[in-house]
Amino acid sequence: QVQLQESGGGSVQAGGSRRLSCVVSGYTYSIYCRAWFRQAPGKEREGVASLDSDGPTNYTDSVKGRFTISRDANTLYLQMNDLKPEDTAMYYCATSHRYCSGDSSDFNYWGQGTQVTVSS
């Protein structure tokens, strides 16, 4: 079992920054991929950024150059800069026992989510 707990969401004006954190605990030795997803009202969940256990990162096009995914021993981060109203969504961290594929069905464990609201 893996437990995930996000924090860091809130309201911010366009152009501002926010850093999300996700504490990962439990049986973490089998984790190959850590990722952030988001879901806006009325839209499908989308992958935002992912980080393989051996280092490679991947970002969806809309956040490239603005968001950075990183981790330390127990925590996954998402640094979000130059936020835009279209970044407004519930953000979730998730882990997979497979290398990152972009397919959300590969992810075994999910956090409860943290809301980010960007006002113009």
Side-chain angles (χ1 to χ4, degrees), residues 74-91:
N74 299 312
T75 305
L76 180 69
Y77 301 99
L78 185 68
Q79 177 67 43
M80 306 185 294
N81 298 327
D82 190 22
L83 282 161
K84 305 176 186 299
E86 51 264 41
D87 295 319
T88 295
M90 184 72 79
Y91 284 74

Side-chain angles (χ1 to χ4, degrees), residues 26-119:
Y27 191 70
T28 62
Y29 298 101
S30 62
I31 294 174
Y32 279 72
C33 179
R34 295 167 172 81
W36 289 95
F37 290 80
R38 66 185 180 187
Q39 187 166 21
K43 294 188 177 181
E44 292 187 356
R45 182 171 55 193
E46 68 167 339
V48 176
S50 63
L51 175 63
D52 266 312
S53 58
D54 54 358
T57 59
N58 193 41
Y59 299 90
T60 192
D61 286 345
S62 63
V63 308
K64 285 180 180 177
R66 300 189 298 121
F67 289 14
T68 303
I69 188 171
S70 63
R71 59 172 287 213
D72 60 22
N74 299 312
T75 305
L76 180 69
Y77 301 99
L78 185 68
Q79 177 67 43
M80 306 185 294
N81 298 327
D82 190 22
L83 282 161
K84 305 176 186 299
E86 51 264 41
D87 295 319
T88 295
M90 184 72 79
Y91 284 74
Y92 301 89
C93 59
T95 63
S96 171
H97 298 313
R98 299 180 178 182
Y99 283 110
C100 297
S101 68
D103 186 346
S104 63
S105 66
D106 284 345
F107 289 82
N108 314 87
Y109 298 100
W110 294 80
Q112 294 298 309
T114 186
Q115 177 69 37
V116 174
T117 302
V118 184
S119 58

Side-chain angles (χ1 to χ4, degrees), residues 11-22:
S11 297
V12 62
Q13 289 193 328
S17 297
R18 204 81 187 177
R19 188 175 83 155
L20 305 183
S21 299
C22 172

